[in-house]
Amino acid sequence: DQQVKQNSPSLSVQEGRISILNCDYTNSMFDYFLWYKKYPAEGPTFLISISSIKDKNEDGRFTVFLNKSAKHLSLHIVPSQPGDSAVYFCAASPGGTSYGKLTFGQGTILTVHP
Amino acid sequence: EAGVAQSPRYKIIEKRQSVAFWCNPISGHATLYWYQQILGQGPKLLIQFQNNGVVDDSQLPKDRFSAERLKGVDSTLKIQPAKLEDSAVYLCASSLPPGAITAGYGYTFGSGTRLTVV
């Protein structure tokens, strides 16, 4: 039972263009969503998050959109840079006393070509 | 601010042997987590501590895995005896409590320990 899914194993974009990474979830109890970036031999690094009471959060080149009715979120990177090449994970957490129990998607490998 | 420290970085053991991993969270983070990441998959939560108490260990294979967090700071995760399917990266993370102002509640991962069971 995969509660968080990233259906695209990989994505390739040209430097300067937009990268859009998608994530779907099934559990209505999820209250908080996070995106992580991971380089080889390192732990995941926090990128951006969004609460279920919002539909958009922006931080520099990174924007996360949340569509609760569709149980879908996406990460937009504009403009994409070669240094953005990494594995991107979306993660979801319930709220309240269950906060912090992150459920991760399988990850999407992003490659940004110069 | 120092990050989450883990050791060792790599470990190779034979099946049926035992192994232990160590984690030191970010100072002030009361909540500590252990995750298992199998190659090609996302991290899976094994156990969550709040200070030195266990909040959730429902996904911890308790017949062979154990974890403790003495004095509410450092934590160790042990596997005994190891199986081939335990080969994975074991990640430790720590976070601030809900409601913290910091985006993402400061949820921070260590670099992990890569375990290979042969």
Side-chain angles (χ1 to χ4, degrees), chain A residues 21 33-39 44-50 57-64 75-77 84 86-89 110, chain B residues 103-104 107:
Chain A
L21 296 100
F33 303 88
L34 307 91
W35 281 94
Y36 283 85
K37 174 178 170 179
K38 187 180 183 305
Y39 292 118
T45 302
F46 170 75
L47 205 52
I48 193 168
S49 61
I50 188 166
N57 189 27
E58 195 171 350
D59 184 2
R61 296 186 298 114
F62 302 92
T63 303
V64 56
L75 174 68
H76 292 208
I77 307 173
D84 296 330
V87 180
Y88 288 77
F89 291 99
L110 173 66
Chain B
Y107 209 116

Side-chain angles (χ1 to χ4, degrees), chain B residues 2-83:
Chain B
V4 175
Q6 289 189 248
S7 67
R9 286 301 308 273
Y10 305 93
K11 191 74 177 179
I12 301 174
I13 62 172
E14 294 183 351
K15 59 184 178 184
R16 292 187 289 275
Q17 285 187 325
S18 63
V19 64
F21 313 125
W22 173 84
C23 173
N24 179 245
I26 291 175
S27 177
H29 282 195
T31 312
L32 184 147
Y33 316 81
W34 283 101
Y35 284 81
Q36 178 192 57
Q37 185 178 12
I38 293 172
L39 187 65
Q41 299 180 19
K44 183 184 88 170
L45 179 67
L46 293 176
I47 188 168
Q48 177 184 3
F49 291 94
Q50 181 72 23
N51 296 309
N52 60 351
V54 175
V55 174
D56 185 349
D57 63 357
S58 58
Q59 299 195 87
L60 188 73
K62 298 181 189 65
D63 58 333
R64 298 182 300 105
F65 286 64
S66 64
E68 61 181 6
R69 189 181 184 196
L70 299 176
K71 300 180 182 178
V73 182
D74 293 4
S75 177
T76 56
L77 176 69
K78 297 179 182 178
I79 308 175
Q80 181 179 9
K83 292 185 175 181

Side-chain angles (χ1 to χ4, degrees), chain B residues 82-95:
Chain B
K83 292 185 175 181
L84 296 176
E85 58 261 35
D86 298 332
S87 295
V89 175
Y90 290 85
L91 294 161
C92 178
S94 67
S95 74

Side-chain angles (χ1 to χ4, degrees), chain A residues 6-45:
Chain A
Q6 294 176 254
N7 292 316
S8 298
S10 63
L11 175 67
S12 181
V13 300
Q14 207 68 31
E15 180 179 7
R17 306 295 286 268
I18 185 171
S19 295
I20 300 176
L21 296 100
N22 294 302
C23 180
D24 297 296
Y25 64 96
T26 58
N27 190 339
S28 301
M29 299 303 292
F30 288 143
D31 195 47
Y32 197 70
F33 303 88
L34 307 91
W35 281 94
Y36 283 85
K37 174 178 170 179
K38 187 180 183 305
Y39 292 118
E42 295 183 12
T45 302

